Amino acid sequence: MRVRDESKIETILDEARSMIVKVGFDGLSMQKLAKAANVSPATIYIYFKDRDDLLLQLYKRECDQFFAYIFQDFDPEMDFATGLTIQWKKRAKYIIDNPDKGHFMEHFTFTPLHAQAKRTRDPKYTDSMKRFVQKAIANGELVKMSLEVYWSVAFAPLYNLVRFHKIGRNMAGDPFVLTDEMLLQTLALVLKALKP
Amino acid sequence: MRVRDESKIETILDEARSMIVKVGFDGLSMQKLAKAANVSPATIYIYFKDRDDLLLQLYKRECDQFFAYIFQDFDPEMDFATGLTIQWKKRAKYIIDNPDKGHFMEHFTFTPLHAQAKRTRDPKYTDSMKRFVQKAIANGELVKMSLEVYWSVAFAPLYNLVRFHKIGRNMAGDPFVLTDEMLLQTLALVLKALKP
DNA sequence: AAGATAAGTGAATGTTCATTCATTTAAAAT
DNA sequence: ATTTTAAATGAATGAACATTCACTTATCTT
């Protein structure tokens, strides 16, 4: 039998992500996507059940790649400041170096499709972060708080700054460019907030 | 001449917001919107040039209403902790009480249309916040930082928690319900981060 | 009460949409 | 070399799309 061209799948997903960032979910059509990926519309349906399935698989792939990356070099047994700094810098580097990927993942969470995104993500990453946080609290390195409060204080400011940077404007619509200095200062503020 | 029924505009915009939150931007069609708002599709085009114009006007209306609300009872001459606490609580109340409005405004910022959102917002709000921050820094109540870093540290954690609450899940997909206790703790952490 | 005007409409327009299907193509298996 | 199998396709399908248009309706002005 003829063999699957796996690179087609990658191309289709890459083009889909890039189109969504450029023209939005409502600008993405299967025919335009097929053209951009140099395949027939029918080919897309070999690999994806329908449009929703394509988007859900794309989201899953992006999350998997992102998590695999940010948990490199991270060990939950690290001391709190070290571990958080590594996590922060990994996340910052990934979404600054791959602005479309970060933008897509965030955009997707506001979509109704996000409710259907299966919890098939490898739980090892979540478990690792839970362990890291609980251990830091037990060791007196981190104020006692829920995982959600921790995550929000630790990472939401970072994602927000990078988003300002990507769109080139701040909350008021003024031009904005992110600097390393700002990132480091924000990390320092976050550490200050979280340390007892 | 026949008089404009201004309530029609409100109904159309309200239904549009609610549809977008429920079915996404790609699920919103002018015909379905017309049906939901109990008007003819042609009526929508009396008030809005086209679909994009409708969405842009909706975003503007939501932002205007939001800013008018959160700057009530706020005075940039307040001391830093008081002013930030008022801002924080106003924002929290608004987006928790009006989850669709908050969701729509945030979702919209990820949309390509956001780049076209005119800077017609009343600058008095931005000016007020700038004055508040600069004065707090000058008074030694706030670490020296850019407006963007301030905003990200101060408010991004709040918006993130409320978003978890709205979708009912945290970053790992586990069920999540926001409590007042968490909100207050997060505010305290943010204040700790920002105060010298 | 009549006329003027703009609000409001239902049906129609041509386009684009997601998806399918009959057919062709490439490569593995024999 | 031939057969088998699934990948891959271009064209087609009917539904849904944004928008328009000829027309009706309500209300203000006179």
Side-chain angles (χ1 to χ4, degrees):
Chain A
M1 68 159 189
R2 192 168 171 181
V3 78
R4 277 198 178 199
D5 183 351
E6 293 292 334
S7 77
K8 276 198 167 57
I9 304 182
E10 296 300 306
T11 307
I12 291 167
L13 291 177
D14 287 347
E15 289 295 333
R17 187 192 58 231
S18 138
M19 285 181 68
I20 288 163
V21 170
K22 204 180 290 172
V23 295
F25 280 84
D26 45 350
L28 175 81
S29 87
M30 299 306 264
Q31 337 223 30
K32 286 191 283 188
L33 173 58
K35 187 153 286 183
N38 279 310
V39 296
S40 158
T43 303
I44 299 177
Y45 288 86
I46 295 172
Y47 299 104
F48 307 99
K49 188 177 148 292
D50 53 27
R51 196 183 112 112
D52 281 3
D53 181 50
L54 167 76
L55 295 173
L56 287 165
Q57 281 192 229
L58 172 56
Y59 179 64
K60 183 178 179 342
R61 188 192 69 154
E62 293 301 334
C63 287
D64 286 349
Q65 288 178 3
F66 178 62
F67 282 98
Y69 180 85
I70 62 176
F71 278 92
Q72 270 175 2
D73 312 328
F74 175 79
D75 183 327
E77 307 309 324
M78 285 166 166
D79 75 82
F80 179 68
T82 306
L84 177 56
T85 300
I86 285 180
Q87 274 280 310
W88 174 285
K89 290 191 172 170
K90 281 256 163 192
R91 288 176 195 254
K93 179 166 171 49
Y94 191 88
I95 56 182
I96 290 171
D97 288 352
N98 306 282
D100 278 6
K101 298 187 182 196
H103 191 275
F104 169 77
M105 280 189 283
E106 290 204 79
H107 188 173
F108 190 89
T109 64
F110 286 96
T111 282
L113 224 46
H114 184 240
Q116 297 176 45
K118 299 235 169 69
R119 281 258 277 119
T120 48
R121 184 180 310 163
D122 196 329
K124 79 181 174 200
Y125 301 124
T126 306
D127 292 346
S128 174
M129 197 173 71
K130 279 183 188 158
R131 161 105 187 108
F132 176 67
V133 167
Q134 280 161 9
K135 194 211 58 188
I137 292 172
N139 289 354
E141 299 171 303
L142 171 63
V143 180
K144 190 168 183 298
M145 66 185 74
S146 71
L147 202 60
E148 292 84 4
V149 170
Y150 162 73
W151 199 97
S152 299
V153 173
F155 301 120
L158 166 63
Y159 290 141
N160 192 71
L161 280 173
V162 176
R163 186 156 54 94
F164 284 166
H165 180 68
K166 168 141 206 322
I167 64 185
R169 324 211 141 261
N170 67 11
M171 58 285 161
D174 293 322
F176 174 71
V177 176
L178 183 60
T179 64
D180 275 345
E181 195 191 355
M182 284 185 202
L183 275 177
L184 289 175
Q185 181 184 25
T186 308
L187 171 58
L189 294 172
V190 164
L191 276 167
K192 187 168 106 187
L194 296 172
K195 280 182 177 169
Chain B
M1 69 160 185
R2 191 169 172 179
V3 79
R4 276 199 180 198
D5 184 351
E6 294 291 334
S7 76
K8 276 199 167 55
I9 304 181
E10 296 299 305
T11 307
I12 291 167
L13 291 176
D14 286 347
E15 290 294 333
R17 187 190 59 231
S18 138
M19 286 181 67
I20 287 163
V21 170
K22 204 180 290 171
V23 296
F25 280 84
D26 45 349
L28 175 83
S29 88
M30 300 304 265
Q31 336 223 29
K32 286 191 286 190
L33 173 58
K35 189 154 283 183
N38 278 312
V39 297
S40 158
T43 303
I44 298 177
Y45 289 85
I46 296 172
Y47 298 104
F48 307 99
K49 187 178 149 293
D50 53 27
R51 197 184 108 113
D52 281 3
D53 181 51
L54 167 77
L55 295 173
L56 287 164
Q57 279 193 230
L58 172 56
Y59 179 65
K60 184 180 178 344
R61 190 192 68 156
E62 293 300 335
C63 287
D64 286 348
Q65 288 179 2
F66 178 63
F67 281 99
Y69 179 85
I70 61 176
F71 278 92
Q72 270 177 1
D73 313 327
F74 175 80
D75 184 329
E77 308 307 324
M78 285 168 167
D79 75 82
F80 179 67
T82 305
L84 177 55
T85 300
I86 286 181
Q87 274 279 311
W88 174 284
K89 290 191 172 171
K90 281 256 164 192
R91 288 175 195 254
K93 181 167 170 47
Y94 191 87
I95 55 181
I96 289 170
D97 289 351
N98 306 282
D100 278 6
K101 297 187 182 194
H103 191 276
F104 169 78
M105 279 189 285
E106 290 203 78
H107 187 172
F108 190 88
T109 63
F110 287 96
T111 282
L113 225 44
H114 184 239
Q116 297 177 44
K118 300 233 169 71
R119 282 259 277 118
T120 48
R121 185 180 310 162
D122 196 330
K124 79 180 172 199
Y125 300 125
T126 306
D127 291 347
S128 175
M129 197 173 71
K130 278 182 189 157
R131 162 105 187 108
F132 177 67
V133 167
Q134 280 160 10
K135 193 210 59 188
I137 292 171
N139 289 354
E141 299 171 301
L142 170 64
V143 180
K144 188 168 184 300
M145 67 185 74
S146 71
L147 204 58
E148 293 83 5
V149 169
Y150 162 74
W151 198 97
S152 299
V153 172
F155 301 122
L158 166 63
Y159 290 140
N160 192 69
L161 280 173
V162 177
R163 187 156 52 95
F164 283 167
H165 180 70
K166 168 139 208 320
I167 62 184
R169 324 210 141 260
N170 67 12
M171 57 285 161
D174 293 323
F176 174 71
V177 177
L178 184 61
T179 64
D180 275 346
E181 197 191 351
M182 283 185 204
L183 276 176
L184 290 175
Q185 181 185 22
T186 307
L187 171 57
L189 294 172
V190 163
L191 277 168
K192 189 168 100 185
L194 296 172
K195 280 180 178 170

